[in-house]
Amino acid sequence: MHNLIEFLAKYNHWFVFILLEVISFVLLFQYNSYQGSVWFSSANVVSGKIYEWNSEIEAFFSLSQVNEKLVLRNVYLEQQVRALSDSLTSKTQDSSYLRKSQMALLQNYRLISAKVVSNSITKADNFITLDKGSVDGVKKDMGVISGTGVVGIVYLVSTHYSIVIPVLNTKSNISCCIQGRDYFGYLHWTGGNSKMAYVDDIPRHAHFKLYDKIVTSGYSSVFPSGVLVGKIMHVYNSSDGLSYRLKIELSTDFGNLRDVCIIDNSLIQERIELFHAAQDSIKPKEE
């Protein structure tokens, strides 16, 4: 103890110097937006690389288990596809109908494949880090989907990485509708169960039933219409009694999310801008 006290007394000026340096850096990055953004971008690149290495190591040691699951899943999907194909062919008398319907949804959009290198599902405001950035064509506000449905929206982009606000974030707000019925509302997550979310503002005159599918409405410049979101599990009245609130079981398993696709939304944005231009052109002109 005596030696420790002597050491601290001998080098106390260095400890004071380090403490002041830490305080100065904290004040610099916290109260100056430019320096703060530079720090965030640099930290994002470093942490993204670390997360990527960690994800690759985990993926390597779980390859055998993943492969076994994929084999079983492929067998199951092949059986489903065969049954659906036979059913559709018998009803439509068109053997190419199934292939055309599968490709119709995203055939006009460029998809950027990406891997999840960091993910969380237990916080109120979760984020996902992807291994693709601006050099790969990723931009802010692009939609992100998986093989089973909607994932989220790109929030920040660096050269080689991007940050996504997923559905499991209280700030997420995605326009959705009831499949085949066109009644739309907005998807929200309130925390807690990572498999459940809510769609608000469904009109009172809407007709639907439990287990109806919820899909993207296509009313925004982020997602095309028809991307699967989940299915209706329960119906509530809104707080003001003027609309319904739907409890949704999400189709995407965020706890086991690895491979995703980023949707190049340039075509969606062009369509929305054209629609708004048409609306503006038919407005009565002021005399």
Side-chain angles (χ1 to χ4, degrees):
M1 177 62 71
H2 179 70
N3 291 336
L4 177 61
I5 294 174
E6 285 186 349
F7 174 79
L8 295 175
K10 184 177 180 180
Y11 296 103
N12 66 85
H13 55 282
W14 285 107
F15 293 112
V16 173
F17 172 75
I18 293 172
L19 177 62
L20 293 175
E21 284 292 309
V22 171
I23 293 173
S24 64
F25 277 116
V26 170
L27 294 176
L28 176 66
F29 293 123
Q30 186 172 0
Y31 295 101
N32 293 274
S33 58
Y34 173 74
Q35 287 82 356
S37 63
V38 171
W39 164 256
F40 184 85
S41 299
S42 301
N44 182 38
V45 171
V46 174
S47 61
K49 200 64 180 178
I50 294 174
Y51 284 136
E52 183 180 9
W53 291 340
N54 182 65
S55 178
E56 289 177 352
I57 293 172
E58 290 182 354
F60 176 79
F61 285 106
S62 62
L63 281 177
S64 59
Q65 183 179 3
V66 171
N67 185 63
E68 182 180 351
K69 290 182 178 179
L70 286 175
V71 170
L72 295 174
R73 184 65 175 170
N74 283 338
V75 171
Y76 172 73
L77 290 175
E78 286 174 0
Q79 292 174 342
Q80 280 194 320
V81 169
R82 187 179 299 110
L84 286 172
S85 180
D86 293 341
S87 176
L88 286 171
T89 299
S90 64
K91 291 182 180 297
T92 63
Q93 303 300 317
D94 182 3
S95 60
S96 65
Y97 182 84
L98 180 62
R99 177 179 57 83
K100 290 187 291 186
S101 63
Q102 287 176 330
M103 297 300 296
L105 183 60
L106 295 171
Q107 65 179 353
N108 294 324
Y109 302 98
R110 185 173 74 93
L111 300 179
I112 305 170
S113 62
K115 288 189 177 294
V116 175
V117 297
S118 174
N119 185 19
S120 63
I121 61 174
T122 58
K123 303 175 183 177
D125 294 320
N126 297 290
F127 291 96
I128 296 173
T129 303
L130 305 180
D131 67 346
K132 295 295 173 67
S134 58
V135 72
D136 305 293
V138 181
K139 298 178 182 178
K140 183 180 179 182
D141 295 330
M142 284 185 171
V144 182
I145 62 174
S146 69
T148 55
V150 167
V151 173
I153 299 173
V154 175
Y155 176 59
L156 286 175
V157 180
S158 65
T159 304
H160 299 289
Y161 298 95
S162 53
I163 302 293
V164 175
I165 292 182
V167 171
L168 302 187
N169 186 303
T170 56
K171 295 181 176 61
S172 176
N173 186 30
I174 297 174
S175 178
C176 302
C177 67
I178 303 172
Q179 188 179 51
R181 301 182 186 272
D182 295 331
Y183 299 111
F184 71 94
Y186 295 92
L187 181 69
H188 299 287
W189 185 66
T190 58
N193 192 343
S194 63
K195 287 293 294 179
M196 296 295 175
Y198 297 90
V199 174
D200 295 315
D201 301 330
I202 297 296
R204 297 283 297 184
H205 62 271
H207 298 287
F208 56 88
K209 60 183 182 295
L210 292 182
Y211 309 116
D212 275 353
K213 291 181 179 179
I214 300 295
V215 297
T216 54
S217 65
Y219 294 155
S220 72
S221 61
V222 180
F223 295 100
S225 61
V227 179
L228 185 62
V229 174
K231 60 183 177 181
I232 302 173
M233 301 302 294
H234 198 83
V235 181
Y236 303 93
N237 286 320
S238 63
S239 57
D240 57 11
L242 300 178
S243 60
Y244 289 124
R245 181 181 225 206
L246 309 182
K247 186 176 183 180
I248 306 301
E249 182 181 54
L250 298 171
S251 60
T252 300
D253 183 0
F254 286 89
N256 191 31
L257 191 63
R258 286 194 176 275
D259 297 290
V260 298
C261 285
I262 304 166
I263 304 173
D264 187 342
N265 60 358
S266 55
L267 288 177
I268 309 176
Q269 183 65 39
E270 180 182 350
R271 176 174 58 81
I272 296 296
E273 290 176 356
L274 182 62
F275 178 74
H276 289 163
Q279 285 184 318
D280 293 338
S281 67
I282 61 176
K283 287 181 180 178
K285 297 182 179 179
E286 297 182 358
E287 297 182 358

